[in-house]
Coordinates of all heavy atoms in Angstrom, one line a residue:
L1 N 0.8 -1.2 0.0 CA 0.0 0.0 0.0 C 0.8 1.3 0.0 O 0.6 2.2 -0.8 CB -0.9 0.0 1.2 CG -2.2 0.7 1.2 CD1 -3.2 0.2 0.1 CD2 -2.9 0.7 2.5
S2 N 1.9 1.3 0.8 CA 2.8 2.4 0.9 C 3.5 2.7 -0.4 O 3.7 3.8 -0.8 CB 3.9 2.1 2.0 OG 4.8 3.2 2.1
E3 N 3.9 1.6 -1.1 CA 4.7 1.7 -2.4 C 3.7 2.3 -3.4 O 4.0 3.2 -4.2 CB 5.1 0.4 -2.8 CG 6.0 0.5 -4.1 CD 7.2 1.4 -4.0 OE1 7.8 1.4 -2.8 OE2 7.7 2.0 -4.9
K4 N 2.4 1.8 -3.4 CA 1.4 2.4 -4.3 C 1.1 3.9 -4.1 O 1.0 4.6 -5.0 CB 0.1 1.6 -4.2 CG 0.2 0.1 -4.6 CD 0.1 0.0 -6.1 CE -0.1 -1.5 -6.6 NZ -0.1 -1.6 -8.0
E5 N 1.1 4.2 -2.8 CA 0.9 5.6 -2.5 C 2.0 6.5 -3.0 O 1.8 7.6 -3.5 CB 0.8 5.8 -0.9 CG -0.5 5.3 -0.4 CD -0.5 5.4 1.1 OE1 0.4 6.0 1.7 OE2 -1.6 4.9 1.7
K6 N 3.3 6.0 -2.8 CA 4.4 6.7 -3.4 C 4.4 7.0 -4.9 O 4.8 8.0 -5.4 CB 5.7 6.1 -3.0 CG 6.1 6.0 -1.4 CD 7.2 5.2 -1.1 CE 7.5 5.2 0.3 NZ 8.7 4.3 0.6
Q7 N 3.8 6.0 -5.5 CA 3.6 6.0 -7.0 C 2.5 6.9 -7.4 O 2.3 7.1 -8.6 CB 3.5 4.6 -7.6 CG 4.6 3.7 -7.4 CD 4.4 2.3 -7.7 OE1 3.3 1.9 -8.2 NE2 5.4 1.4 -7.5
G8 N 1.7 7.3 -6.5 CA 0.5 8.2 -6.8 C -0.6 7.4 -7.4 O -1.5 7.9 -8.1
F9 N -0.7 6.1 -7.1 CA -1.7 5.2 -7.6 C -3.1 5.7 -7.1 O -3.3 5.9 -6.1 CB -1.5 3.7 -7.1 CG -2.3 2.7 -7.8 CD1 -2.1 2.4 -9.1 CD2 -3.4 2.1 -7.1 CE1 -2.8 1.4 -9.7 CE2 -4.1 1.1 -7.7 CZ -3.8 0.7 -9.1
D10 N -4.0 5.9 -8.2 CA -5.2 6.6 -7.8 C -6.5 5.8 -8.0 O -7.6 6.3 -8.0 CB -5.4 7.8 -8.8 CG -5.4 7.5 -10.2 OD1 -5.4 6.3 -10.5 OD2 -5.6 8.4 -11.0
S11 N -6.4 4.4 -7.9 CA -7.6 3.6 -7.9 C -8.0 3.3 -6.5 O -7.4 2.4 -5.9 CB -7.3 2.3 -8.7 OG -8.4 1.4 -8.6
A12 N -9.0 4.0 -6.0 CA -9.4 3.8 -4.6 C -10.0 2.4 -4.4 O -9.6 1.9 -3.3 CB -10.5 4.9 -4.3
P13 N -10.8 1.8 -5.3 CA -11.2 0.5 -5.0 C -10.0 -0.6 -4.9 O -10.1 -1.4 -4.0 CB -12.0 0.1 -6.3 CG -12.5 1.5 -6.7 CD -11.4 2.4 -6.5
E14 N -9.0 -0.4 -5.7 CA -7.9 -1.4 -5.7 C -7.1 -1.1 -4.4 O -6.6 -2.0 -3.7 CB -7.0 -1.2 -6.9 CG -7.7 -1.8 -8.2 CD -6.7 -1.9 -9.3 OE1 -5.5 -2.3 -9.1 OE2 -7.1 -1.4 -10.4
M15 N -6.9 0.1 -4.0 CA -6.2 0.5 -2.7 C -6.9 -0.1 -1.6 O -6.3 -0.6 -0.6 CB -6.0 1.9 -2.6 CG -5.0 2.5 -3.7 SD -3.3 2.0 -3.5 CE -2.7 3.1 -2.2
A16 N -8.2 0.0 -1.6 CA -9.0 -0.5 -0.5 C -9.0 -2.1 -0.4 O -8.9 -2.6 0.7 CB -10.5 -0.1 -0.7
L17 N -8.9 -2.7 -1.6 CA -8.7 -4.1 -1.6 C -7.4 -4.6 -0.9 O -7.4 -5.6 -0.2 CB -8.8 -4.6 -3.0 CG -10.2 -4.9 -3.6 CD1 -10.1 -5.1 -5.1 CD2 -10.9 -6.0 -3.0
I18 N -6.3 -3.8 -1.3 CA -5.0 -4.1 -0.7 C -5.1 -4.0 0.8 O -4.6 -4.8 1.6 CB -4.0 -3.2 -1.3 CG1 -3.8 -3.5 -2.7 CG2 -2.6 -3.4 -0.6 CD1 -2.9 -2.5 -3.5
F19 N -5.7 -2.9 1.3 CA -5.8 -2.7 2.8 C -6.6 -3.8 3.4 O -6.2 -4.4 4.4 CB -6.4 -1.4 3.1 CG -6.5 -1.1 4.6 CD1 -5.4 -0.8 5.3 CD2 -7.7 -1.3 5.2 CE1 -5.5 -0.6 6.7 CE2 -7.8 -1.1 6.6 CZ -6.6 -0.8 7.4
G20 N -7.7 -4.2 2.8 CA -8.6 -5.3 3.3 C -7.8 -6.6 3.4 O -8.0 -7.2 4.4
D21 N -7.1 -6.9 2.4 CA -6.2 -8.1 2.4 C -5.2 -8.1 3.4 O -4.8 -9.1 4.0 CB -5.6 -8.3 1.0 CG -6.5 -8.9 0.0 OD1 -7.6 -9.4 0.4 OD2 -6.2 -8.8 -1.2
S22 N -4.7 -6.9 3.8 CA -3.7 -6.9 4.9 C -4.2 -7.1 6.2 O -3.4 -7.6 7.0 CB -3.0 -5.4 4.8 OG -3.8 -4.4 5.3
I23 N -5.5 -6.9 6.5 CA -6.0 -7.1 7.9 C -6.8 -8.3 8.0 O -7.3 -8.7 9.0 CB -6.8 -5.9 8.4 CG1 -8.1 -5.7 7.6 CG2 -6.0 -4.6 8.3 CD1 -9.0 -4.7 8.3
K24 N -7.1 -9.1 6.9 CA -8.0 -10.2 6.9 C -7.6 -11.3 7.9 O -8.5 -11.9 8.5 CB -8.3 -10.8 5.5 CG -7.1 -11.4 5.0 CD -7.3 -11.9 3.5 CE -6.1 -12.6 2.9 NZ -6.3 -13.0 1.5
E25 N -6.3 -11.5 8.1 CA -5.9 -12.6 8.9 C -6.2 -12.3 10.3 O -6.3 -13.2 11.2 CB -4.4 -12.9 8.7 CG -4.1 -13.5 7.3 CD -4.7 -14.8 7.1 OE1 -5.0 -15.5 8.0 OE2 -4.9 -15.2 5.8
I26 N -6.2 -11.0 10.7 CA -6.5 -10.6 12.1 C -7.9 -11.1 12.5 O -8.1 -11.5 13.7 CB -6.4 -9.1 12.2 CG1 -4.9 -8.7 12.2 CG2 -7.1 -8.6 13.5 CD1 -4.7 -7.2 12.1
F27 N -8.8 -11.2 11.6 CA -10.2 -11.7 11.9 C -10.3 -13.2 12.0 O -11.3 -13.7 12.4 CB -11.1 -11.2 10.8 CG -11.5 -9.7 11.0 CD1 -10.7 -8.7 10.8 CD2 -12.8 -9.4 11.5 CE1 -11.0 -7.4 11.1 CE2 -13.2 -8.1 11.8 CZ -12.3 -7.1 11.5
A28 N -9.2 -13.9 11.6 CA -9.2 -15.4 11.7 C -8.2 -15.9 12.6 O -7.0 -16.2 12.1 CB -9.0 -16.0 10.2
P29 N -8.4 -16.0 13.9 CA -7.4 -16.4 14.9 C -6.9 -17.8 14.7 O -5.8 -18.2 15.1 CB -8.0 -16.1 16.2 CG -9.5 -16.2 15.9 CD -9.7 -15.6 14.6
N30 N -7.9 -18.7 14.2 CA -7.5 -20.1 14.0 C -7.4 -20.4 12.5 O -8.4 -20.4 11.8 CB -8.7 -20.9 14.6 CG -8.9 -20.5 16.1 OD1 -8.0 -20.5 16.9 ND2 -10.1 -20.2 16.4
E31 N -6.2 -20.6 12.1 CA -5.9 -20.5 10.7 C -6.8 -21.4 9.8 O -7.2 -21.0 8.7 CB -4.4 -20.9 10.5 CG -3.9 -20.9 9.1 CD -2.5 -21.1 8.9 OE1 -1.8 -21.4 9.9 OE2 -1.9 -21.0 7.8
A32 N -7.0 -22.7 10.2 CA -7.6 -23.6 9.2 C -9.0 -24.1 9.7 O -9.4 -25.2 9.2 CB -6.7 -24.7 8.9
D33 N -9.6 -23.4 10.6 CA -10.9 -24.0 11.1 C -12.0 -23.7 10.1 O -11.9 -23.0 9.2 CB -11.2 -23.6 12.6 CG -11.8 -22.1 12.6 OD1 -11.8 -21.4 11.6 OD2 -12.3 -21.8 13.7

């Protein structure tokens, strides 16, 4: 996300997807259940 910001990447939906993917594992404490 930081690298995209430095490049001035302007697709808000894609940036939001990247952020969502970065925190998704926090919501799954048990990896394979």
Side-chain angles (χ1 to χ4, degrees):
L1 205 64
S2 178
E3 187 58 35
K4 292 282 188 181
E5 288 179 2
K6 290 175 184 177
Q7 295 170 3
F9 192 68
D10 61 359
S11 174
E14 289 188 46
M15 293 292 279
L17 279 171
I18 295 169
F19 181 77
D21 280 343
S22 75
I23 70 166
K24 66 182 180 183
E25 294 298 335
I26 287 172
F27 280 72
N30 307 308
E31 182 174 6
D33 82 347

